[in-house]
Structures are given as structure tokens and as C-alpha cells.
Amino acid sequence: MSVLVYVESPKGHIKKTGNEVITYGSRLARQLGTDCIALIIGKADDPASCGLYGATKVMHLNPGAEPDFDSQAFTALIAEAAARTGAQNIILSNTANGKALTGRLAIRLNAGDVTGANSLPETGSGFTVTKSVFSGKAIARYSIDTPVKVISVMGNTLQPDASGSPAAVETVEIAMMTTKLKVLEKKTSEGIVPLPEAELVVSAGRGMKGPENWGIVEDLAAALGATTACSRPVADSGWRPHHEHVGQTGVAIRPNLYIAIGISGAIQHLAGVNNSKVIVAINKDPEAPFFKAADYGIVGDLFEVVPRLTEAIKKFKHT
Amino acid sequence: MLSLLPQSGTECQLAAGAINKSGTGLLTFLFKDLQMNILVCISKTPDTTSKISFRSDDTEYNADGVTFIMNPYDEWYALVRAIELTEQNGGNVTVINVGPTANDIIIRKALAIGANDAVRIDLDPADAYVTAANIADHARSHNYDLIMLGKETIDFNGSETGAMIAELLQLPFVSYASDLKVSGSTSTVTRDIEGGVEVCQVEGPFVLSAAKGLAEQRIPNMKGIMMAKTKPLAVVPPTVQNTRVRTSKFVLPAAKSGVKMVAPDNMDELVRLLHEEAKVI
Ligand SMILES: Cc1cc2nc3c(=O)[nH]c(=O)nc-3n(C[C@H](O)[C@H](O)[C@H](O)COP(=O)(O)OP(=O)(O)OC[C@H]3O[C@@H](n4cnc5c(N)ncnc54)[C@H](O)[C@@H]3O)c2cc1C
Ligand SMILES: Nc1ncnc2c1ncn2[C@@H]1O[C@H](COP(=O)(O)O)[C@@H](O)[C@H]1O
């Protein structure tokens, strides 16, 4: 009944979210008294490193060329790996690809599944796992009754724990199944941590008055090493790109730190950010609803406060 | 277009061949080829501003006094894009919901926005599996060229129903689609991924989940609302009833301990708090 963790390795590199799910899978394996097998499909620079995060073994499926993502083909491979290893618990990251795989795998393996789990399962009697629902307004506890379980894990649920040692890697040469889907092109911004993975986020709203003022937000983000985000009207007016829009209809995030600048704190905005560990709100209106959801609040003019904060961060980083 | 009936890639090709050899004139064939038969899966969620509470010892969502809406991703993006495609090329948009009689309100709204007909599978689904299994069973006996869903429901954020339907029907699945172009039997889809987009090309029928950008929200007009009253809504019994996952309990998250105010001219103090107290920088 071992635990199989599918680890994404874009361009051969395992990201923090990947190491988080291995940590999650190995803790679950320890709870169940079984082993944790990491599965990598495609290019992998350092598959043995999965052992650092608790994998006892790494299965590396190598199709030669870097495979394009196709949920159908990947599902077939992960299901095959589960059959070979006798795994009954399949763990994935709750990424765009991870979510596209979770439901498919549940069908393929006759399993119950939970997407976006935010805690380790309780396995004392039965099998229950929690996730945040109703836009962060509640937590649901799910019981999975089937023998096989598939779970995708929300980013930032556990910190990666690298206290293990490199694991043995079994490389298997494979052929990808041909399907009716072909990836023509992939466009991702280089160098910047994508919003769903960012630990520090600086976000701004309509209080900025216009796109020409974003320099102070970018300066703060650069000083912190943070990713930038925005409220929906800002993206809708074309002040910022759509992929920066956070909230109920945008990206849902849970960084360690979320700094909200000139954002009122409407319920639909909070829905996407209220799982952040720490929230700082900067607003000139002391009655702004964001202060009810924030941990730290500053009442003041953002055009004065934000540059001051940037200077203070720079000073802190230099000492 | 290809029919959804075939279960595997090879049969799919056979079916396409069968259409080609059907002997109809080339013009009718070409015309028919462009027409799309689209299934849009719609769900019902509490309005975003609803108060969330639970009952029966916190095992059940308390729907008393809650206003329900059609899930925004289903209504604004999946449904509208489906209608646009049939407006351009002809064809039919069927909406489907797995749910109780009370859901007829959102189904009528979908018809008022422009769907042609509707199916309601008469079951209050307790998990995504039972929803997907019933929709897949329905799709097996109808020739849909495309099955569209929202990227997720805004209450339980499952984002899994589409993947399940696709696997049940052995079809490609493109999630988080923000752009869809169809040309004959070839579709080009842009999907949102972490930090960017991926452009995919799919041949034949497939399942798609819709994200923001796929279309622009449409408000039903008076004519649409009147017409919706007479459009067909078939209520059918479920084919699958068993579930795999139970919601055993709801918990309200711990309340924030209250905001700590920092003077706007003392950002060094904020940095200190973030470092020493919150330990996030
Ligand atoms: C179904 C639905 C879904 C939605 N989904 C989302 C979503 O996903 N994400 C989202 O963000 N919104 C969403 N919205 C919109 C949401 O309701 C709000 O309208 C929106 O979040 C407001 O954006 P804002 O805070 O930037 O602007 P505003 O509400 O205009 O707030 C601007 C704030 O800036 C402050 N300010 C102005 N000048 C200064 C200054 N010089 N210094 C300091 N502070 C200043 C003001 O006091 C004010 O609080 C949704 C709405 C609906 C109906
Ligand atoms: N009961 C239902 N009936 C029809 N479609 C549904 C139902 N529940 C979910 N869906 C569809 O599946 C999508 C994703 O839902 P979920 O997987 O629950 O997040 C929704 O946006 C709908 O398009």
C-alpha cells in the first residue's frame, strides 16, 4: 500500500512545490508504515534528490525527448507506475497539470480523490483529509472510503524537509502514448516566481490611480524578492496583465506574506488571498474592509508609505 | 465533426472515415462538418457574498436563506463560448446539470442566455465522481463534439469533474482554457498554466474547462427569458448513484486575532515585526 508521489520536473528541474509533495508523501508513508516512491516523467537533472525529502526510491520514466503535457498520456503512465509498485496512495501537486491528472487518475484507479488538500491525512481509523472551501470561509473534512486514494496537495501546506539522503533511481525507458492532443507552444515568464508558487506577494489595486504609477509597487517587490499581483478592476482596465489578477475569479494564492496596497478588501478579492499566512494592508481609508482581514495595517497615502517601506526593506537586507 | 461515441483512438478514426464515405454531397458534408453539437455542464453555487454556516452537527452546509447562482465559470465563459461557436457555424448547445428540481432556475437562466435545450439528471450529487459518471453516461449516447465545463466550482473548488469525464470517455482534456478556436475537427486552445500559457491543438471531440478570458459574460434579455420558458428541459433518472468521498465535517477557520496598526511614518517598525514577530522575511 505504498505511497506514490508524482513529482513535476519542468525542464528537468524539481521546484519547491515538487519537494513539498515528496515531504507530504513521505510523512504519509511513515504514518501508514510503508515506503514512499517518487515518480518523475521526462527530463530530470537530479532525480536522486527526491531522497532528501523522504522518498525511499525514485522511478524515473524516460521517454527520451521532453514529453509535452497531455493528461491522458500522463494518467496512463502514472497508473502503470501505481500498478507496478502496488501503490494505494497517489500524491500530486495541486498545479494546473496536477489538477488535470487527479480526477483522471481517480477514474483510472477506481479511487476516491481530494484536490487541494491542505493537511496531512488522518489515518488512525479511516482516511480523512481537509481542504479549504467556500473561498477560504470554511474547512471541509473529507473521508475517502475507497482502498485507493488520489490527493493533490495545495502549495505551501508543508515546508520541504531536506533531512534525508539521496535515493536509488530506477530509470525506465518508455514510449509516450500518442493521443489526439499536441502542444504547439508554451509561453512562461522566465525568472519570476509564478504567483501560485510565490511566498512573498506585493499586490495593488485601484488606489494606484493608473498603470503609470506601478513603479513603486515593482520597486517594493524587487526589494523583497516578491511576485506582483493586482485586484480585478486593475486587470480588467488593462493596467496590469490578467495573470496577475487574484481573487475569487482570478488566481487563489496562499503565500507567507501578502501586502495589499490601495485595495479595499472586497469579499471576492479576499476569497483568493485570505489563506495567506500574514497579510499587510496599506490604505488611506481607516474603514477599508481589508483591515479586518489583515495582520498588520497602515493607514496612510500609499504614494508616501510604499517608497518608505521599500527603503526600510533595503536597509534591513543590508544589515 | 466526429462523434463522441467511439471509445478509443482507432475507433475514432474509423468513425471519421464513416462520415466521409456516407455519400452525402460535398457541400452538405462541409456544412455539417462545421456545425457543432456542444454539451455544457453547469452547476449551482452559493452567491459569493453568502454567509457560510453549517447544520446537523457541522456535517451539512446550511442553505437556508442563501441565494444560489450559476457557477460563474460555467455561465460567463463555458456557456457563452459554446453559444458563440454555434452562432458562427450552426449547431446545438445542450446544458446539463446533475441536481434536484430546485436547480431548474439556473437551467432556465442558461436557456435564456442562449442554450438550445437542457438535461437535468435528477440526483443531488454528493461527490464529483457521481456527477462525472452520470454526465459521461449521458454523453455516451449523444454525439457531442465538445464537452465544456467551468474550471472549478467556486464553493468546493474541486476542479476535477472535467478530468473525470474525459477519462471516463477516453477523450483529451484541456483545462483552464482562456481561448478556443475551432476549425473543422481541429481545435486550438490556449490554457493557463503557472506563470504563463500553453497552446494546444486537439483533433476531434474533447473535454474543456473554461477560465476567465474564454468569452465575455452575457446578460439574458427579455426575449431570451421568454423563449427559455418553452425550450426543452428533459429530466432523467441517474444511471450511477454510488459515491466515493464523503464530507464528514465542516470547520470554520480560526478568526484572525485582530489587526496590529503601524504608524505610516515608521516602516522600520513594520519590517521589524515582519521579521521578528511574523517571521515571514
Ligand atoms: C462575482 C464577482 C467576482 C469578483 N472577483 C474578483 C476577484 O477575483 N478579484 C478582485 O480583486 N475583485 C473581484 N471582484 C470585484 C470586487 O468586488 C471589488 O470591486 C474589487 O476587488 C475592488 O478592487 P480595488 O480594491 O482595487 O478597488 P476599490 O474598491 O476602488 O478600492 C481602492 C482602494 O484604494 C484606497 N486608496 C485610494 N487612494 C489611495 C491612496 N492614495 N493611498 C492609499 N489607499 C488609497 C481606497 O481607500 C480603496 O480602499 C469581483 C466581483 C464580483 C461581483
Ligand atoms: N452537479 C453538476 N452538474 C453539472 N455540472 C457540474 C456539476 N458540478 C460541477 N459541474 C461542472 O464541473 C465543473 C467543475 O466542477 P468541480 O470539479 O466541482 O470544481 C463546474 O464548473 C461545472 O461545469
Side-chain angles (χ1 to χ4, degrees):
Chain A
M1 64 186 231
S2 52
V3 176
L4 182 72
V5 181
Y6 169 59
V7 187
E8 293 177 31
S9 59
K11 295 190 180 133
H13 176 69
I14 299 170
K15 293 205 257 184
K16 178 168 171 271
T17 43
N19 294 327
E20 277 172 25
V21 281
I22 308 170
T23 303
Y24 185 99
S26 69
R27 299 235 170 113
L28 174 61
R30 200 184 314 153
Q31 252 171 255
L32 296 169
T34 181
D35 51 348
C36 167
I37 300 154
L39 172 70
I40 298 178
I41 301 173
K43 201 162 170 246
D45 300 334
D46 185 11
S49 72
C50 295
L52 302 179
Y53 301 94
T56 35
K57 196 178 121 186
V58 182
M59 186 183 263
H60 177 204
L61 305 184
N62 184 14
E66 179 70 352
D68 285 330
F69 180 74
D70 176 356
S71 61
Q72 199 174 6
F74 275 56
T75 294
L77 290 174
I78 299 171
E80 171 71 27
R84 274 215 217 175
T85 55
Q88 298 222 308
N89 303 276
I90 322 296
I91 310 294
L92 304 98
S93 301
N94 196 51
T95 53
N97 291 354
K99 276 184 274 191
L101 291 169
T102 304
R104 286 200 94 118
L105 276 166
I107 295 297
R108 175 67 73 114
L109 301 170
N110 290 318
D113 74 302
V114 170
T115 53
N118 67 356
S119 67
L120 274 167
E122 277 173 28
T123 51
S125 70
F127 190 105
T128 62
V129 68
T130 61
K131 83 177 262 189
S132 167
V133 293
F134 296 108
S135 309
K137 285 186 260 182
I139 295 160
R141 189 183 297 280
Y142 291 103
S143 302
I144 309 183
D145 299 328
T146 47
V148 182
K149 286 111 185 156
V150 186
I151 293 169
S152 74
V153 185
M154 193 76 178
N156 246 341
T157 291
L158 290 180
Q159 284 310 303
D161 173 3
S163 57
S165 47
V169 180
E170 180 199 356
T171 302
V172 185
E173 306 295 329
I174 54 150
M176 295 299 293
M177 155 189 183
T178 52
T179 65
K180 306 251 160 209
L181 183 146
K182 189 163 77 189
V183 175
L184 300 180
E185 174 179 24
K186 199 168 165 174
K187 291 180 261 190
T188 49
S189 44
E190 297 294 326
I192 307 162
V193 185
L195 258 185
E197 292 165 18
E199 290 188 27
L200 306 172
V201 175
V202 174
S203 184
R206 217 147 45 176
M208 294 295 296
K209 310 275 186 290
E212 66 281 6
N213 298 327
W214 241 263
I216 56 170
V217 174
E218 281 165 351
D219 289 347
L220 175 58
L224 272 170
T227 301
T228 50
C230 68
S231 68
R232 176 164 137 182
V234 162
D236 282 350
S237 322
W239 295 2
R240 299 296 292 175
H242 272 298
H243 64 78
E244 281 199 0
H245 156 200
V246 291
Q248 179 161 49
T249 43
V251 187
I253 55 173
R254 49 179 307 177
N256 286 335
L257 174 63
Y258 183 76
I259 303 184
I261 301 165
I263 304 176
S264 56
I267 184 117
Q268 298 90 354
H269 182 87
L270 295 179
V273 303
N274 60 6
N275 277 321
S276 307
K277 196 167 154 218
V278 173
I279 295 177
V280 175
I282 301 173
N283 201 301
K284 69 174 182 191
D285 173 11
E287 303 296 319
F290 227 129
F291 289 124
K292 292 207 179 68
D295 301 279
Y296 300 101
I298 297 104
V299 177
D301 184 348
L302 67 89
F303 294 102
E304 292 165 18
V305 173
V306 173
R308 244 181 247 148
L309 177 56
T310 307
E311 286 317 307
I313 298 279
K314 283 185 183 158
K315 203 163 84 191
F316 162 75
K317 295 242 163 156
H318 282 128
T319 52
Chain B
M1 296 287 297
L2 303 175
S3 92
L4 270 185
L5 282 166
Q7 285 284 298
S8 75
T10 42
E11 285 171 66
C12 229
Q13 275 153 8
L14 285 178
I19 298 175
N20 279 322
K21 285 188 220 105
S22 65
T24 40
L26 184 64
L27 265 181
T28 17
F29 167 66
L30 281 178
F31 182 65
K32 278 212 178 110
D33 195 48
L34 284 175
Q35 289 196 355
M36 291 186 80
N37 193 14
I38 306 176
L39 182 68
V40 180
C41 308
I42 59 170
S43 52
K44 199 179 76 171
T45 58
D47 182 15
T48 50
T49 50
S50 305
K51 205 163 161 43
I52 303 297
S53 65
F54 304 100
R55 64 180 167 205
S56 312
D57 205 11
D58 287 342
T59 56
E60 230 176 80
Y61 174 63
N62 182 2
D64 287 351
V66 172
T67 320
F68 285 92
I69 55 168
M70 197 187 325
N71 189 45
Y73 296 105
D74 314 354
E75 177 185 334
W76 302 351
Y77 310 124
L79 177 61
V80 176
R81 188 68 190 122
I83 294 168
E84 285 172 358
L85 286 169
T86 55
E87 280 170 352
Q88 284 161 20
N89 306 321
N92 193 81
V93 176
T94 301
V95 289
I96 189 164
N97 172 258
V98 183
T101 317
N103 290 13
D104 286 353
I105 301 172
I106 63 142
I107 297 176
R108 288 286 172 211
K109 184 172 186 195
L111 293 169
I113 293 172
N116 302 90
D117 49 49
V119 178
R120 181 168 60 77
I121 296 173
D122 199 15
L123 169 84
D124 201 354
D127 73 358
Y129 166 73
V130 77
T131 305
N134 278 289
I135 295 174
D137 278 349
H138 164 85
R140 274 195 192 97
S141 55
H142 293 75
N143 296 351
Y144 295 113
D145 301 302
L146 179 60
I147 299 179
M148 298 174 86
L149 303 92
K151 73 166 187 182
E152 64 180 21
T153 47
I154 61 170
D155 47 3
F156 291 102
N157 315 107
S159 205
E160 56 201 330
T161 310
M164 289 180 175
I165 295 172
E167 185 66 17
L168 285 162
L169 299 171
Q170 279 303 300
L171 288 174
F173 175 50
V174 184
S175 58
Y176 297 96
S178 54
D179 189 73
L180 164 66
K181 297 209 168 52
V182 182
S183 161
S185 62
T186 307
S187 305
T188 308
V189 198
T190 303
R191 73 184 273 257
D192 296 344
I193 56 171
E194 284 74 19
V197 296
E198 195 170 77
V199 184
C200 317
Q201 197 174 67
V202 192
E203 205 35 55
F206 68 106
V207 181
L208 171 148
S209 83
K212 185 180 167 183
L214 192 69
E216 292 279 343
Q217 181 182 7
R218 283 192 190 179
I219 312 287
N221 57 25
M222 209 49 214
K223 186 171 161 236
I225 295 168
M226 295 313 291
M227 278 168 68
K229 295 195 172 126
T230 56
K231 287 180 178 171
L233 192 176
V235 179
V236 299
T239 50
V240 180
Q241 308 227 26
N242 60 310
T243 57
R244 293 175 174 178
V245 180
R246 280 177 296 125
T247 315
S248 44
K249 191 105 183 160
F250 289 101
V251 194
L252 292 170
K256 285 262 177 193
S257 53
V259 60
K260 191 178 265 187
M261 300 311 284
V262 180
D265 52 7
N266 194 357
M267 286 302 99
D268 289 332
E269 172 64 2
L270 178 64
V271 171
R272 187 190 71 76
L273 288 167
L274 291 177
H275 179 61
E276 290 175 12
E277 188 178 82
K279 298 191 170 58
V280 287
I281 60 171

